[in-house]
C-alpha cells in the first residue's frame, strides 16, 4: 500500500514538473539569449549575434514542436469525436498519458489565461503557434548589427521586434524599441519616418494625445499653459504646472528640436515647452524628496540645489536641460513671444560654466535676438 502511494506521488510530481525545468535540460532559449547579452556587453559582437540568432531559432523550434504535439493529439480519431472542447480533451490526455500534449498546454496556460481560450482546442492550437516569435531576440539581433554599423539591417530588426511587441518578456520594453527605431531613422536621415514614430510615442502622453477622450479639454490646458508662460513668465508657469511623464520627455524634446530646425516655431514651442515642464517637474520633485521644506520660487533656486546632488547633475546632462531651454527660447522668439524667450536666455546667461556653450549663446541672444537652426540631426 505504501509503495503504491509513493508511486502515485512520484507520478504526480513528474506530471507537475514545470516547463522551465524541461527547458533547463533542453537548452533553454532564454538562457541562450542571456548568454548573448553577456557577449554583447563584453564587446564580443560576433558571438553575441550568433547567440541571439540561436535563441530565436530555439524558441521557434520549441513552440513549433509543441504546436505539432497538439496537432498530433487533435488528429487522433478518439479526440476528433470529442469536438473542440478542452474540458473533454484534457481528461483524455491524463488518462492516456499524452505527456507532450500536456506539456504544451501547461506552457500555454502559463502564457495566457485558460479562460481566454473559451474551452476551444483550436484556439489553444492557434495561440501556441503565435509564441514562435521572439521579439526580444529580434531586438538584440538589431543591436548587434547596429554596433557593427549595419543600420539598415538593425532598423529592420527593431521594426520586426516592435511588430511582435505583444510577446515581449519585459513590460514597457516596446517604448524603448520605439525610441531605438526613431534614433536609427534620425541617424539615417529618414526624418519623416522619425517624426511619425516620435508622434506615436506621444500617443502615450494623456495630456498631449489628440486621441484622448476629451480632445478639447487637452487643447484648453495647452492653451492655458502657453498663456501663463507668455503673460506671467517662467516662474509663474512652473509654480502652476507640474507634469513628470518621463516616458515622453525625449519624444517632445526631439520633436521640438526637429520642428525648430524646420522653422516651424509654433510646433517647436509646444513640444519644447512640454519637455521643459517635464524636466523641471522631475528636478523639483527630487529636490523636495531630499529637502521637504523646499518650494519652487525661481529656476535659479532650483539650480542652487543641483551642484550638491550628483543624480540631478546626471539627469540635467541626460535630458540636455540647457540646450532645451535655449531652443525653447529661440522657438518662442521665432513664434513672436519675445518676453519669455528673453527670460530663459537671461537665466542661461547667469548659469555660466554649468550651462557651458548654452550660457554663451543665451547671452548673445540677449544682446541681439536672432534665429538659428537647431542641430539635433546629423
Amino acid at each position: 500500500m505504501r509503495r503504491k502511494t509513493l508511486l502515485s506521488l512520484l507520478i504526480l510530481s513528474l506530471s507537475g514538473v514545470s516547463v522551465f525545468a524541461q527547458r533547463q535540460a533542453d537548452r533553454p532559449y532564454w538562457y541562450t539569449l542571456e548568454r548573448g547579452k553577456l557577449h554583447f556587453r563584453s564587446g564580443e559582437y560576433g558571438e553575441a549575434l550568433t547567440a541571439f540568432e540561436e535563441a530565436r531559432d530555439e524558441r521557434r523550434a520549441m513552440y513549433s514542436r509543441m504546436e505539432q504535439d497538439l496537432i498530433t493529439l487533435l488528429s487522433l480519431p478518439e479526440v476528433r469525436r470529442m469536438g473542440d472542447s478542452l474540458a473533454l480533451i484534457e481528461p483524455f490526455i491524463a488518462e492516456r498519458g499524452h505527456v507532450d500534449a500536456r506539456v504544451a498546454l501547461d506552457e500555454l496556460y502559463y502564457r495566457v489565461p485558460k479562460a481566454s481560450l473559451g474551452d476551444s482546442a483550436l484556439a489553444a492550437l492557434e495561440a501556441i503557434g503565435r509564441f514562435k516569435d521572439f521579439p526580444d531576440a529580434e531586438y538584440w539581433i538589431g543591436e548587434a548589427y547596429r554596433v557593427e554599423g549595419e543600420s539598415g539591417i538593425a532598423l529592420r530588426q527593431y521594426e520586426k521586434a516592435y511588430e511582435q511587441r505583444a510577446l515581449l518578456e519585459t513590460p514597457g520594453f516596446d517604448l524603448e524599441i520605439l525610441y531605438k527605431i526613431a534614433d536609427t531613422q534620425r541617424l539615417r536621415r529618414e526624418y519623416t519616418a522619425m517624426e511619425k514614430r516620435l508622434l506615436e510615442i506621444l500617443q502615450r502622453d494623456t495630456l498631449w494625445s489628440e486621441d484622448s477622450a476629451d480632445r478639447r479639454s487637452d487643447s484648453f490646458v495647452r492653451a492655458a499653459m502657453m498663456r501663463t508662460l507668455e503673460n506671467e513668465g517662467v516662474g509663474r508657469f512652473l509654480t502652476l504646472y507640474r507634469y513628470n511623464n518621463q516616458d515622453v520627455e525625449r519624444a517632445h524634446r526631439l520633436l521640438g528640436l526637429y520642428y525648430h530646425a524646420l522653422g516651424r516655431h509654433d510646433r517647436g514651442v509646444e513640444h519644447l515647452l512640454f519637455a521643459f515642464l517635464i524636466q523641471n517637474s522631475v528636478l523639483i520633485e527630487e529636490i523636495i524628496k531630499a529637502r521637504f521644506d523646499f518650494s519652487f520660487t525661481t529656476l535659479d533656486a532650483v539650480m542652487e540645489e543641483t551642484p550638491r546632488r550628483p543624480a540631478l547633475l546626471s539627469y540635467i546632462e541626460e535630458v540636455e536641460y540647457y540646450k532645451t531651454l535655449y531652443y525653447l527660447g529661440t522657438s518662442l522668439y521665432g513664434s513672436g513671444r519675445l518676453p519669455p524667450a528673453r527670460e530663459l536666455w537671461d537665466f542661461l546667461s547667469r548659469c555660466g560654466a554649468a550651462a557651458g556653450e548654452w550660457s554663451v549663446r543665451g547671452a548673445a541672444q540677449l544682446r541681439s535676438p536672432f534665429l538659428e537652426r537647431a542641430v539635433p540631426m546629423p
Side-chain angles (χ1 to χ4, degrees), residues 194-195 252-272 323-335 341 345 358 361 365 370-377:
M194 177 203 72
E195 177 189 16
H252 278 301
R253 175 163 36 97
L254 291 175
L255 279 170
L257 294 170
Y258 173 61
Y259 292 134
H260 182 285
L262 294 178
R264 299 166 65 181
H265 297 298
D266 281 324
R267 293 204 68 178
V269 165
E270 289 185 331
H271 290 288
L272 289 169
K323 179 179 179 179
T324 302
L325 266 66
Y326 176 79
Y327 282 116
L328 173 58
T330 56
S331 290
L332 285 164
Y333 171 63
S335 61
W345 293 330
W358 307 109
R361 292 191 184 193
Q365 290 284 8
F370 61 95
L371 287 176
E372 62 174 85
R373 291 177 64 85
V375 193
M377 312 301 165

Side-chain angles (χ1 to χ4, degrees), residues 103-119:
V103 167
L105 287 177
D106 287 345
E107 173 69 13
L108 179 61
Y109 296 158
Y110 173 77
R111 297 288 177 181
V112 301
K114 183 177 180 179
S116 68
L117 301 172
D119 191 37

Side-chain angles (χ1 to χ4, degrees), residues 67-199:
E67 183 182 44
Q68 186 57 52
D69 290 338
L70 286 181
I71 290 173
T72 299
L73 174 78
L74 297 176
S75 299
L76 295 173
E78 307 98 302
V79 176
R80 291 174 63 182
R81 286 194 292 270
M82 295 178 187
D84 190 35
S85 173
L86 283 170
L88 295 177
I89 293 171
E90 288 197 75
F92 175 84
I93 292 173
E95 291 168 7
R96 301 298 179 89
H98 290 280
V99 177
D100 292 341
R102 179 72 268 165
V103 167
L105 287 177
D106 287 345
E107 173 69 13
L108 179 61
Y109 296 158
Y110 173 77
R111 297 288 177 181
V112 301
K114 183 177 180 179
S116 68
L117 301 172
D119 191 37
S120 169
L122 290 178
L125 179 62
E126 181 183 356
I128 200 79
R130 288 197 295 269
F131 285 99
K132 287 185 281 190
D133 291 331
F134 194 10
D136 302 74
E138 302 292 2
Y139 168 82
W140 282 101
I141 290 170
E143 283 288 86
Y145 277 111
R146 176 185 62 81
V147 296
E148 295 291 353
E150 298 287 350
S151 63
I153 301 175
L155 181 58
R156 288 195 293 273
Q157 286 299 130
Y158 298 145
E159 295 278 10
K160 185 184 294 186
Y162 188 67
E163 289 169 5
Q164 300 171 4
R165 61 189 178 278
L167 299 178
L168 284 167
E169 301 282 348
T170 306
F173 191 57
D174 59 322
L175 179 65
E176 183 171 338
I177 296 174
L178 267 180
Y179 272 119
K180 191 71 72 170
I181 290 170
D183 282 340
T184 307
Q185 289 166 336
R186 177 175 58 86
L187 292 171
R188 291 171 57 82
R189 301 176 185 268
E190 298 172 3
Y191 299 131
T192 302
M194 177 203 72
E195 177 189 16
K196 180 180 178 181
R197 287 304 191 180
L198 291 173
L199 289 171

Side-chain angles (χ1 to χ4, degrees), residues 57 64 153 170 180-181 208-209 234 249 259 279 338 363 377:
D57 295 343
S64 294
I153 301 175
T170 306
K180 191 71 72 170
I181 290 170
W208 177 269
S209 173
V234 173
E249 181 277 327
Y259 292 134
Q279 292 173 8
L338 182 56
M377 312 301 165

Side-chain angles (χ1 to χ4, degrees), residues 215-320:
R215 186 177 303 180
R216 283 182 294 182
S217 174
D218 287 339
S219 298
F220 173 79
V221 170
R222 280 188 243 164
M225 289 167 62
M226 188 60 67
R227 282 196 304 272
T228 301
L229 179 69
E230 187 173 0
N231 299 328
E232 301 183 53
V234 173
R236 182 62 173 166
F237 171 77
L238 291 176
T239 299
L240 290 179
Y241 299 103
R242 291 282 190 281
Y243 190 53
N244 67 350
N245 187 348
Q246 296 184 65
D247 286 346
V248 298
E249 181 277 327
R250 189 158 174 260
H252 278 301
R253 175 163 36 97
L254 291 175
L255 279 170
L257 294 170
Y258 173 61
Y259 292 134
H260 182 285
L262 294 178
R264 299 166 65 181
H265 297 298
D266 281 324
R267 293 204 68 178
V269 165
E270 289 185 331
H271 290 288
L272 289 169
L273 183 62
F274 264 65
F276 171 73
L277 175 59
I278 294 168
Q279 292 173 8
N280 281 285
S281 295
V282 170
L283 290 172
I284 292 167
E285 289 175 10
E286 288 302 311
I287 292 169
I288 289 173
K289 287 179 184 177
R291 249 197 68 190
F292 68 90
D293 61 336
F294 178 84
S295 60
F296 174 80
T297 51
T298 64
L299 284 177
D300 296 270
V302 172
M303 290 301 106
E304 286 174 6
E305 297 291 328
T306 58
R308 299 190 296 273
R309 310 180 197 282
L312 295 187
L313 291 174
S314 177
Y315 179 73
I316 284 172
E317 182 177 357
E318 175 191 339
V319 299
E320 302 179 299

